[in-house]
């Protein structure tokens, strides 16, 4: 940095006096203006889009409503002055604008200064950066598509600037429909933002919608074909769930089509995980983005500090190889949740079909995608989202929020909270997840409490300790719930297992003595596995974050093994069996457990009999006796929303669209939450997940009429008896304090 300062002509004494001031003021500017920013040939790209087969096919059918029959494409290629080309270029202008290197460098300088003021640190793993750098150097012309989680409105500016700072090519960023201001769109496009064409015009004119989709798809092909990078956010910010957004699916479909059409030989996919102690966005700005909301967020970043930020990059992989492996693994169709789960709910079947046959084989292997194969897009989205969340670090605020909300809801001493924080950090690291902090435990906990000061009350006691209680406010519980969501992927297996055990204990509670502890009740493996399968199939996969290559049988078996490993289940001998230490004569071969795999078939009565006799009791870990209830509480918000959605089925449904029904259901949940204080259930995204799940189960059905798609209750659940069975089935998994 000093070599740049030597060129500044300042007298020696003054230079030595103000050298530190100059370094602080100029280092960011010199650094950003030294970064290389690759530009694309705008004129060439526009010509290629206008002459692309996609656009020509749409124009040739006369689908441009602006010009009617005059827009029909002729055989001649020299139509640069015609109306259809102006329409195409107008759509391209809605999607993107030429990059401004000066504005990008100016933004980078401002962002680095702002990040330095708003956050304690911004962490990047050097090993992950080197891994990404090596992957990019193997084929410099290969485009890279970053598929990232989404936590804040600032992510679209933060990630590109950090990638430029680390020496990578600046990616184009796909922004969602939450940016509605035309002025802000125009500015962001100069920074490399991409936008879908205005939805208002697409709704008013279906023909324009087809043309705009063709133009956007052609632009993505030209972008990837030129070796430029792309950043796509897999989810919407502030959702409180890991729910895939519709925009991310559309973008991934365009990337896959570009690969199929030969725009690029291959595409490098890089899952990205973002972690914040606290996002700088104001609550009132979280559902729309405008110039005012951006300025308000910047003002907040200038006034307050928001802890730490961590960016993680998962293992890059080839999209072409993924498609080939997806074909080999024979993932084409899956048994619907209605066929799989509904007979069990209604008591028509007490077992699940062979879990290995949930996916039917494809008739032939294929290396290219077809337009009808939408499942590969869903699996790719889920695979990358799972990778991004798995590599994300857990922050101090997330851990403390989970402890306060799910373990110490009634209050806790600071000394006890520090002990639980240490225990939970060990459990997280033991499960191969990373944490984004280091230092003394008391400093870390106080740092988290400082950030959560609007959600808690602190009482200083005479003997030197501090008592912490939660504010009985809606905003406090919602904030804690959003922070604690980060822990669900870490403990998802144990949480499902704990809720399944709770369901089995609820069933057995009517048959045992009231004086008998739940730690003494015997649970057989067969029934426990059945409960785990039920809950697994009830929850959506983007909540479970289960990779698509993992079968339900393998997952449920891992749930059982993990609970045994961590002491949540203790294996017991059946009362009728001879004790294991007995040396009496018996046929050893009948009890041999390591039979050859060829002997394990459905008719092996000895094997099935032995498995059915495995019994368990609920265990308690020494470090945390309340670990079982803590795990049950992690899934409580989504399960409670499911239960209240089932209770809301008594209300009139017919004639309502999805949006109308979700709005009424949200109001119902708000009413119930204010009664019992379960404010964490007031999550509009979980409401949409619940409605989608009930449609997949066949409880809610769609009907088309009066030019709209409306919902109605299925005939099966028109009776109060079946509705009661459904509510009981869901309620059994909810842990009651």
């Amino acid at each position: 940095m000093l070599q740049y300062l030597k060129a500044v002509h300042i007298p020696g004494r003054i230079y030595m006096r103000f050298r530190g001031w100059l370094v602080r003021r100029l280092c960011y500017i010199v650094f950003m203006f030294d970064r290389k920013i690759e530009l694309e040939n705008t004129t060439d790209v526009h010509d290629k889009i206008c002459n692309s087969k996609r656009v020509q096919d749409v124009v040739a059918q006369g689908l441009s409503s602006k010009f009617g029959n005059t827009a029909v494409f002729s055989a001649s290629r020299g139509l640069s002055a015609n109306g259809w080309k102006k329409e195409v270029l107008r759509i391209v202008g809605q999607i993107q604008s030429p990059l401004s290197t000066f504005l990008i460098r100016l933004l980078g300088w401002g962002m680095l200064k702002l990040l330095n003021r708003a956050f304690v640190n911004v962490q990047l793993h050097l090993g992950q950066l080197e891994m990404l750098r090596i992957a990019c150097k193997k084929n410099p012309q290969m485009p890279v598509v970053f598929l990232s989680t989404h936590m804040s409105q600032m992510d679209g500016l933060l990630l590109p600037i950090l990638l430029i700072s680390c020496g990578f090519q600046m990616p184009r960023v796909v922004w969602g429909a939450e940016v509605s201001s035309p002025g802000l769109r125009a500015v962001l496009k100069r920074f490399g933002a991409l936008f879908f064409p205005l939805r208002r015009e697409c709704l008013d004119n279906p023909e324009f919608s087809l043309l705009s989709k063709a133009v956007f798809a052609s632009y993505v092909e030209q972008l990837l074909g030129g070796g430029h990078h792309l950043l796509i956010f897999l989810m919407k910010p502030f959702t409180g769930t890991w729910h895939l957004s519709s925009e991310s699916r559309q973008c991934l479909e365009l990337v896959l089509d570009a690969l199929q059409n030969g725009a690029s030989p291959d595409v490098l996919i890089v899952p990205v995980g973002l972690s914040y102690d606290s996002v700088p966005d104001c609550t009132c700005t979280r559902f729309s983005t405008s110039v005012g909301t951006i300025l308000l967020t910047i003002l907040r970043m200038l006034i307050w500090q928001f802890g730490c930020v961590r960016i993680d990059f998962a293992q890059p992989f080839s999209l072409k190889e993924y498609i080939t492996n997806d074909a080999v693994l024979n993932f084409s169709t899956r048994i619907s949740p209605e066929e799989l789960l509904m007979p069990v709910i209604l008591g028509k079947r007490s077992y699940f079909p062979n879990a290995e046959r949930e996916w039917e084989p494809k008739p032939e292997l294929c290396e290219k995608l077809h337009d009808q194969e939408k499942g590969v897009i869903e699996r790719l989205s889920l695979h990358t989202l799972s990778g991004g969340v798995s590599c994300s670090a857990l922050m101090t605020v997330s851990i403390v929020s989970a402890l306060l909300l799910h373990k110490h809801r009634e209050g806790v001493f600071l000394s006890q909270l520090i002990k639980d924080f240490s225990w939970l950090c060990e459990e997280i690291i033991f499960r191969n997840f990373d944490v984004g902090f280091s230092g003394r435990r008391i400093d870390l906990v106080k740092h988290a409490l400082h950030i959560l000061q609007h959600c808690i009350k602190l009482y200083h006691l005479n003997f030197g300790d501090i008592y912490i209680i939660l504010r009985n406010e809606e905003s406090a519980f919602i904030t804690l719930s959003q922070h604690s969501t980060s822990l669900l992927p870490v403990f998802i297996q144990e949480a499902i297992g704990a809720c399944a055990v709770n369901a089995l204990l609820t069933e057995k509670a009517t048959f045992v003595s009231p004086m008998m502890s739940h730690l003494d009740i015997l649970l057989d493996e067969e029934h426990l596995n059945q409960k785990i399968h039920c809950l697994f199939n009830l929850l959506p996969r983007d909540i479970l974050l289960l990779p698509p290559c993992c079968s339900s049988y393998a997952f449920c078996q891992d749930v059982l093994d993990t609970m045994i490993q961590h002491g949540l289940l203790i294996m017991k001998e059946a009362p009728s069996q001879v004790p294991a230490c007995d040396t009496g004569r018996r046929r050893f071969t009948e009890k041999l457990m390591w039979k050859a795999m060829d002997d394990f078939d459905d008719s092996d009565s000895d094997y099935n009999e032995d498995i059915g006799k495995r019994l368990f009791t609920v265990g308690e870990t020494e470090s945390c006796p309340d670990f079982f209830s803590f795990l049950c509480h992690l899934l409580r918000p989504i399960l409670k929303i499911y239960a209240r959605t089932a209770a809301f089925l008594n209300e009139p449904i017919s004639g309502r669209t999805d949006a109308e029904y979700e709005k009424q259901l949200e109001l119902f949940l708000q009413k119930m939450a204010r009664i019992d204080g379960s404010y964490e259930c007031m999550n509009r995204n979980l409401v949409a997940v619940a409605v989608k799940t009930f449609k997949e189960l066949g409880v809610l059905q769609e009907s088309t009429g009066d030019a709209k798609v409306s919902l109605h209750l299925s005939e099966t659940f028109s009776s109060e008896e079946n509705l009661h069975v459904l509510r009981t089935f869901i309620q059994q998994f909810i842990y009651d304090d």
Side-chain angles (χ1 to χ4, degrees):
M1 191 61 64
L2 291 178
Q3 63 181 350
Y4 294 101
L5 295 178
K6 287 178 182 178
V8 181
H9 299 287
I10 302 177
R13 184 177 298 177
I14 300 177
Y15 171 72
M16 293 299 296
R17 181 179 177 183
F18 293 99
R19 183 172 57 180
W21 181 88
L22 283 174
V23 169
R24 291 194 300 271
R25 295 301 181 270
L26 297 180
C27 62
Y28 287 147
I29 297 177
V30 174
F31 176 77
M32 286 309 303
F33 275 80
D34 191 45
R35 300 296 93 187
K36 181 180 178 182
I37 300 175
E38 296 186 9
L39 301 178
E40 56 187 348
N41 190 337
T42 306
T43 305
D44 188 40
V45 170
H46 288 177
D47 292 338
K48 289 181 179 179
I49 291 175
C50 293
N51 296 325
S52 65
K53 187 177 183 303
R54 287 177 179 270
V55 176
Q56 290 179 6
D57 289 343
V58 174
V59 174
Q61 297 173 14
L63 294 181
S64 180
S65 61
K66 289 280 184 183
F67 309 103
N69 295 330
T70 63
V72 178
F73 180 72
S74 69
S76 174
R77 296 293 179 99
L79 298 176
S80 58
N82 284 357
W84 66 266
K85 187 170 183 178
K86 293 181 181 179
E87 182 70 10
V88 170
L89 294 179
R90 190 180 71 86
I91 297 174
V92 173
Q94 292 183 359
I95 296 172
Q96 61 89 39
S97 294
L99 295 178
S100 172
T101 55
F102 175 77
L103 289 179
I104 291 174
R105 291 189 172 103
L106 187 63
L107 172 69
W109 168 78
M111 282 295 295
L112 292 178
K113 297 283 289 184
L114 195 61
L115 292 174
N116 193 33
R117 186 177 183 88
F119 297 102
V120 176
N121 55 51
V122 179
Q123 305 170 23
L124 290 164
H125 196 291
L126 295 180
Q128 295 173 356
L129 290 175
E130 186 62 25
M131 171 190 66
L132 181 59
R133 191 171 285 110
I134 293 174
C136 294
K137 284 183 178 179
K138 286 184 179 179
N139 192 347
Q141 301 302 321
M142 182 187 298
V144 179
V145 176
F146 297 93
L147 300 177
S148 174
T149 58
H150 201 6
M151 301 297 169
S152 168
Q153 294 172 342
M154 304 299 291
D155 294 343
L157 300 175
L158 172 66
L159 268 176
I161 295 302
L162 291 180
L163 288 172
I164 292 177
S165 303
C166 296
F168 294 98
Q169 180 189 140
M170 179 178 176
R172 289 282 195 158
V173 185
V174 180
W175 287 69
E178 65 272 5
V179 182
S180 56
S181 171
L184 182 58
R185 282 191 170 217
V187 174
L188 291 176
K189 283 188 286 188
R190 300 290 284 175
F191 294 133
L194 301 180
F195 293 96
F196 286 97
L198 295 176
R199 185 173 299 179
R200 188 184 305 108
E201 297 185 19
C202 296
L203 293 175
D204 295 340
N205 191 345
E207 296 176 349
F208 175 83
S209 176
L210 292 176
L211 181 60
S212 62
K213 289 179 181 178
V215 172
F216 195 89
S218 299
Y219 177 77
V220 172
E221 286 186 6
Q222 298 302 323
L223 191 70
L224 298 179
H228 298 283
H229 298 348
L230 191 63
L231 171 60
I232 301 172
F233 292 109
L234 294 172
M235 47 188 277
K236 293 183 178 180
F238 324 116
T239 58
T241 62
W242 307 109
H243 187 53
L244 293 166
S245 66
S246 58
E247 289 90 350
S248 66
R249 291 184 175 92
Q250 295 177 30
C251 292
L252 279 177
E253 184 177 357
L254 298 179
V255 172
L256 293 169
D257 287 343
L259 179 64
Q260 177 186 359
N261 295 333
S264 176
D266 200 358
V267 176
L268 188 67
I269 302 294
V270 182
V272 183
L274 294 173
S275 304
Y276 286 82
D277 264 335
S278 179
V279 294
D281 310 74
C282 184
T283 306
C284 61
T285 69
R286 292 186 173 184
F287 302 108
S288 64
T289 305
S290 62
V291 177
T293 60
I294 292 292
L295 292 177
L296 182 58
T297 301
I298 293 175
L299 181 62
R300 284 169 53 85
M301 295 176 71
L302 291 173
I303 298 175
W304 292 292
Q305 274 207 340
F306 297 91
C308 305
V309 184
R310 172 78 175 260
I311 297 95
D312 292 279
F313 299 93
Q315 179 69 44
F317 62 91
S318 165
L319 179 58
K320 188 175 182 180
E321 290 183 6
Y322 178 86
I323 296 171
T324 304
N325 294 336
D326 183 80
V328 172
L329 291 175
N330 298 325
F331 292 136
S332 61
T333 57
R334 184 188 180 194
I335 296 178
S336 67
E338 181 179 1
E339 298 173 349
L340 195 64
L341 195 58
M342 196 52 64
V344 179
I345 295 176
L346 298 177
K348 298 179 180 179
R349 188 177 63 207
S350 60
Y351 64 93
F352 283 91
N354 188 352
E356 300 300 332
R357 296 176 184 172
E358 287 185 2
W359 299 89
E360 298 176 359
K362 290 182 179 179
E364 58 183 1
L365 301 181
C366 57
E367 297 182 358
K368 292 185 178 181
L369 292 173
H370 300 286
D371 293 338
Q372 297 81 8
E373 294 176 355
K374 303 298 182 182
V376 70
I377 300 170
E378 192 75 19
R379 292 189 291 274
L380 177 61
S381 304
L382 191 57
H383 180 83
T384 52
L385 181 61
S386 176
V389 173
S390 298
C391 75
S392 299
L394 277 298
M395 311 303 284
T396 54
V397 175
S398 299
I399 297 175
V400 172
S401 297
L403 289 172
L404 292 176
L405 184 65
H406 300 309
K407 193 171 187 293
H408 302 296
R409 199 180 184 104
E410 303 300 326
V412 62
F413 289 102
L414 177 61
S415 57
Q416 181 61 42
L417 183 62
I418 293 174
K419 293 179 183 178
D420 290 342
F421 178 82
S422 179
W423 157 76
L424 195 53
C425 288
E426 292 177 359
E427 294 290 338
I428 291 170
I429 295 174
F430 185 72
R431 287 161 177 80
N432 296 322
F433 281 79
D434 199 5
V435 293
F437 53 84
S438 62
R440 297 195 309 163
R441 293 178 300 170
I442 186 171
D443 295 333
L444 294 171
V445 174
K446 286 184 176 180
H447 163 75
L449 294 177
H450 173 71
I451 294 177
L452 296 172
Q453 58 184 317
H454 300 295
C455 305
I456 59 175
K457 294 180 181 179
L458 302 179
Y459 294 92
H460 296 265
L461 305 179
N462 294 331
F463 52 87
D465 209 341
I466 300 176
Y467 193 70
I468 306 163
I469 62 173
L470 304 184
R471 294 181 183 271
N472 191 21
E473 299 174 1
E474 176 183 328
S475 59
F477 283 94
I478 292 177
T479 300
L480 292 174
S481 178
Q482 289 178 344
H483 285 304
S484 62
T485 305
S486 303
L487 265 73
L488 183 57
V490 181
F491 299 101
I492 185 62
Q493 292 184 344
E494 295 94 325
I496 290 178
C499 291
V501 169
N502 179 70
L504 207 54
L505 290 175
T506 303
E507 284 186 1
K508 291 180 174 290
T510 57
F511 303 103
V512 298
S513 171
M515 302 299 294
M516 188 176 183
S517 171
H518 71 279
L519 300 177
D520 300 326
I521 299 177
L522 292 176
L523 311 173
D524 64 279
E525 183 180 14
E526 181 181 355
H527 290 161
L528 185 56
N529 262 324
Q530 186 180 10
K531 295 297 183 183
I532 294 173
H533 272 278
C534 287
L535 186 53
F536 170 84
N537 289 285
L538 181 65
L539 297 173
R541 287 213 167 196
D542 50 0
I543 296 292
L544 296 170
L545 288 176
L546 181 67
C549 56
C550 182
S551 68
S552 62
Y553 173 79
F555 179 83
C556 295
Q557 192 61 43
D558 288 342
V559 168
L560 200 59
D561 294 341
T562 303
M563 295 193 69
I564 297 174
Q565 179 184 5
H566 295 292
L568 295 169
L569 287 179
I570 300 174
M571 190 178 298
K572 297 290 184 178
E573 293 181 351
S576 59
Q577 283 187 336
V578 180
C581 60
D582 182 66
T583 57
R585 296 177 61 185
R586 56 177 176 171
R587 294 184 60 189
F588 180 70
T589 55
E590 292 181 358
K591 300 295 180 182
L592 200 60
M593 295 301 297
W594 46 269
K595 298 180 180 181
M597 292 304 295
D598 295 338
D599 296 335
F600 289 156
D601 53 22
D602 294 336
S603 61
D604 196 335
S605 58
D606 291 341
Y607 174 74
N608 291 332
E609 181 183 359
D610 289 334
I611 290 297
K613 290 181 180 179
R614 291 179 64 184
L615 301 176
F616 304 96
T617 58
V618 178
E620 287 187 348
T621 59
E622 296 180 359
S623 55
C624 182
D626 299 329
F627 193 24
F628 181 83
S629 61
F630 174 78
L631 293 171
C632 291
H633 278 84
L634 289 177
L635 279 175
R636 189 173 183 177
I638 179 65
L639 292 176
K640 210 158 190 176
I641 289 178
Y642 277 9
R644 291 178 176 176
T645 303
F648 188 67
L649 294 175
N650 287 327
E651 301 294 327
I653 299 175
S654 300
R656 296 180 183 176
T657 62
D658 279 11
E660 294 171 347
Y661 186 73
E662 290 174 9
K663 182 64 177 177
Q664 294 297 321
L665 178 58
E666 187 178 353
L667 295 175
F668 176 75
L669 292 176
Q670 292 176 0
K671 177 182 176 182
M672 297 298 296
R674 293 187 177 98
I675 294 175
D676 62 0
S678 57
Y679 297 110
E680 64 271 19
C681 297
M682 296 169 53
N683 188 319
R684 62 173 61 182
N685 294 282
L686 288 180
V687 170
V689 170
V691 173
K692 179 183 176 183
T693 301
F694 276 57
K695 287 163 63 177
E696 292 176 348
L697 290 175
V699 179
L700 296 174
Q701 295 179 347
E702 294 180 338
S703 59
T704 305
D706 298 332
K708 68 176 183 178
V709 179
S710 58
L711 296 176
H712 66 274
L713 194 63
S714 65
E715 295 182 2
T716 305
F717 291 93
S718 298
S719 64
E720 182 61 33
E721 180 182 357
N722 287 341
L723 282 178
H724 177 72
V725 171
L726 177 63
R727 297 188 199 105
T728 305
F729 174 80
I730 298 174
Q731 191 67 36
Q732 66 178 332
F733 298 109
I734 301 176
Y735 181 83
D736 294 323
D737 297 321

